[in-house]
């Protein structure tokens, strides 16, 4: 299990449970203080399913603005490094209304190609090639050896970026997540900032290439297929949006694969049932997403005085909405702490709700389903390795997945 450091305990207090096993905390919050002010987060923490849906469904009151601001105000030395790159500006996830649609429109146009049989075949080929590589070894770390290379290659293919950049994209994305959502000492923050700037310049070069020679990939769509009658996306907006897309396009999918296999293999009967009837995989994936969500929470900011769950919140108040808690709410799901791989319906919140519902949900679902199907077909004797410790990656606020997932067959 993940050990929470003393510095994390001191900084986050009760909320430090978010970095390890948050579910006992969630139950206490739902039972006793479903809308609770946390001085450590300087935010109201929202834990019940219906309250979370209400927040997500009312962007006029609960704005996404400021969601992607850095975890800490940058140190002057960090700001000096960042000044050599592109300003981090609001993007789809951190805007509302028409500003949000300026980003969402080209995203939706680009995502249409992921629903075609041709793109599905591309994903199948990527999954098969990586399985061909690992199967002869008899063991692997699912995170490093399978989930990460598959999901990064898929998003890079979608964006028209060479697979030669898998390692770069993975490293840059990890540092972007940490820069936005995790505390760090100055030396580490400087290293993250340098990698973030390198990421930005790489993406900027890809954008300029598509301006000159457009193709059908997502970068070309973002550049050329923008919202009619709206201001075109600026270079700063394109760089921020596409860096975010590379990261978001694989980070939570990796964690869904890891969380899901940990759940399925921790009780051998679950894996055996899936292998015996692969037609259940889509339903299994939805239960994985509900039971141990890869994204446990996100921020919102109130635009006016409001009341939520009987609690008054002033204009400008920050909220941290706990999707992972809503997914375990006994008022929304029968026996929510049980894994039911045949659970239907399954109206979980793991892709959000409302105007900001995850655009990439179909692609993420397809990737996880294809990975599980490939493993079930080739490795029905798959099992967790004795080396598995259950260690979570920490301390990244909101994200929830394993550092390693060693398995054998």
């Amino acid at each position: 299990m993940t050990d929470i450091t003393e510095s994390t305990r001191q900084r986050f207090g009760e909320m430090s449970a978010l970095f390890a096993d948050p579910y006992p905390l969630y139950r206490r919050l739902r039972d006793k203080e479903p809308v609770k002010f946390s001085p450590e987060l300087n935010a109201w923490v929202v834990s019940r399913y219906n309250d979370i849906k209400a927040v997500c469904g009312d962007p006029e009151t609960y704005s996404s603005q400021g969601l992607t601001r850095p975890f800490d105000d940058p140190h002057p030395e960090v700001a000096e490094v960042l000044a050599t790159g592109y300003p981090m500006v609001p993007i789809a996830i951190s805007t509302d209304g028409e500003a949000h649609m300026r980003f969402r429109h080209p995203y939706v146009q680009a995502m249409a190609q992921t629903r075609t049989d041709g793109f599905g075949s591309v994903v199948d080929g990527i999954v098969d090639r990586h399985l061909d590589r690992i199967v002869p070894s008899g063991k692997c770390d699912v995170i490093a050896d399978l989930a990460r290379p598959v999901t990064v290659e898929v998003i890079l293919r979608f964006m028209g970026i060479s697979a030669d950049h898998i390692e770069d994209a993975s490293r840059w994305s990890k540092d972007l997540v940490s820069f936005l959502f995790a505390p760090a000492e100055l030396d580490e923050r400087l290293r993250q900032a340098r990698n973030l700037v390198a990421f930005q310049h790489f993406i900027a070069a890809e954008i300029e290439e598509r301006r000159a020679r457009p193709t059908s990939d997502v970068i070309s769509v973002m550049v050329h297929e923008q919202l009619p009658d709206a201001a075109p996306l600026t270079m700063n907006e394109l760089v921020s949006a596409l860096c975010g897309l590379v990261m978001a396009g694989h980070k939570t999918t990796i964690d869904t694969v890891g969380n899901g296999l940990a759940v399925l293999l921790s009780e051998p009967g679950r894996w055996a049932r899936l292998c015996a009837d692969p037609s259940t995989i889509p339903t299994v994936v939805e239960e994985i997403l509900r039971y141990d969500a890869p994204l446990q929470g996100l921020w919102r900011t109130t635009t006016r005085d409001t009341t939520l769950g009987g609690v008054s919140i002033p204009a400008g108040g920050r909220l941290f909405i706990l999707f992972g808690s809503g997914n375990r709410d006994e008022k929304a799901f029968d026996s929510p702490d049980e894994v039911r791989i045949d659970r239907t319906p399954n109206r979980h919140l793991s892709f959000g709700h409302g105007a900001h519902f995850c655009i990439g949900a179909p692609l993420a679902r397809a990737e996880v389903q294809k990975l599980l199907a490939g493993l079930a077909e080739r490795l029905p004797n798959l099992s967790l390795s004795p080396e598995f410790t259950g260690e979570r990656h920490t301390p990244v606020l909101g994200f929830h997945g394993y550092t390693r997932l060693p398995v054998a067959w």
Side-chain angles (χ1 to χ4, degrees):
M1 298 298 291
T2 300
D3 292 326
I4 300 173
T5 66
E6 186 57 34
S7 62
T8 299
R9 291 184 189 280
Q10 290 179 358
R11 178 164 187 171
F12 293 99
E14 172 186 36
M15 295 298 158
S16 60
L18 294 171
F19 301 118
D21 176 9
Y23 297 109
L25 169 65
Y26 292 167
R27 179 174 285 278
R28 291 198 303 273
L29 291 173
R30 290 194 307 270
D31 288 346
K32 297 181 179 179
E33 294 181 277
V35 180
K36 171 189 172 69
F37 183 76
S38 164
E40 293 85 5
L41 297 180
N42 192 30
W44 279 264
V45 179
V46 184
S47 55
R48 286 184 179 168
Y49 183 93
N50 285 338
D51 289 336
I52 294 166
K53 285 191 70 174
V55 169
C56 292
D58 184 7
E60 292 186 0
T61 303
Y62 305 99
S63 172
S64 295
Q65 293 181 21
L67 190 150
T68 54
R69 68 190 185 195
F71 190 89
D72 298 310
D73 291 332
H75 185 279
E77 292 182 46
V78 175
E80 185 176 348
V81 173
L82 294 176
T84 65
Y86 291 79
M88 297 178 68
V89 296
I91 57 176
I93 197 173
S94 52
T95 53
D96 302 299
E98 184 176 332
H100 173 71
M101 288 305 301
R102 290 176 61 237
F103 294 95
R104 194 172 185 94
H105 175 80
Y107 280 155
V108 170
Q109 304 306 307
M111 278 294 167
Q113 65 183 274
T114 69
R115 298 181 176 88
T116 65
D117 291 340
F119 195 82
S121 297
V122 168
V123 177
D124 285 337
I126 292 171
V127 170
D128 287 341
R129 180 160 40 78
H130 285 283
L131 285 172
D132 288 343
R133 174 177 53 80
I134 68 164
V135 165
S137 67
K139 64 178 182 179
C140 78
D141 172 9
V142 167
I143 304 301
D145 299 329
L146 186 61
R148 181 174 295 119
V150 166
T151 57
V152 177
E153 184 171 348
V154 168
I155 193 62
L156 292 186
R157 179 72 69 90
F158 176 49
M159 297 182 73
I161 297 173
S162 169
D164 293 342
H165 296 289
I166 286 176
E167 291 301 322
D168 289 334
S170 179
R171 182 179 68 256
W172 291 334
S173 296
K174 182 178 179 181
D175 283 327
L176 175 58
V177 169
S178 296
F179 190 84
L180 293 175
F181 299 105
E185 299 297 328
L186 177 58
D187 286 350
E188 175 63 9
R189 199 61 102 202
L190 284 167
R191 188 195 64 77
Q192 293 168 357
R194 286 189 286 268
N195 271 342
L196 177 54
V197 167
F199 193 8
Q200 293 173 334
H201 283 290
F202 174 84
I203 290 296
E206 294 286 325
I207 292 169
E208 294 296 358
E209 172 67 21
R210 301 317 188 283
R211 286 195 197 281
R213 285 171 286 279
T215 67
S216 61
D217 62 43
V218 69
I219 298 177
S220 296
V221 173
M222 290 292 290
V223 171
H224 296 283
E225 299 289 335
Q226 300 195 15
L227 183 67
D229 301 322
L233 299 176
T234 67
M235 186 62 162
N236 290 339
E237 288 175 323
L238 286 168
V239 169
S240 289
L242 290 167
C243 285
L245 183 59
V246 173
M247 179 274 287
H250 74 273
K251 175 70 179 74
T252 52
T253 310
I254 292 171
D255 291 337
T256 301
V257 173
N259 294 352
L261 280 172
V263 167
L264 292 169
L265 297 176
S266 63
E267 184 177 298
R270 292 175 187 154
W271 183 245
R273 285 176 61 191
L274 182 148
C275 293
D277 186 3
S279 69
T280 63
I281 287 175
T283 304
V284 170
V285 170
E286 298 308 305
E287 180 66 347
I288 288 167
L289 286 161
R290 182 202 69 83
Y291 182 77
D292 204 18
L295 183 64
Q296 294 279 309
L298 280 177
W299 300 98
R300 293 291 188 269
T301 303
T302 54
T303 60
R304 54 196 175 204
D305 294 350
T306 189
T307 300
L308 181 67
V311 176
S312 297
I313 304 173
R318 294 198 84 196
L319 280 68
F320 194 58
I321 51 174
L322 294 171
F323 301 123
S325 177
N327 286 344
R328 296 286 192 99
D329 190 335
E330 48 284 324
K331 293 183 179 178
F333 300 94
D334 292 334
S335 304
D337 293 326
E338 295 180 10
V339 177
R340 293 185 177 178
I341 61 176
D342 58 352
R343 185 186 297 271
T344 55
N346 197 336
R347 299 183 181 92
H348 61 75
L349 298 169
S350 295
F351 290 120
H353 174 73
H356 283 270
F357 184 84
C358 178
I359 299 171
L363 178 58
R365 284 179 163 124
E367 289 181 83
V368 179
Q369 290 172 15
K370 290 175 185 296
L371 273 164
L372 290 182
L375 287 167
E377 179 181 2
R378 298 199 194 192
L379 302 173
N381 59 336
L382 189 66
S383 64
L384 289 173
S385 167
E387 300 172 16
F388 177 57
T389 63
E391 181 182 0
R392 299 279 186 172
H393 54 59
T394 170
V396 181
L397 189 62
F399 289 88
H400 190 66
Y402 290 101
T403 304
R404 298 177 65 246
L405 191 73
V407 296
W409 52 91

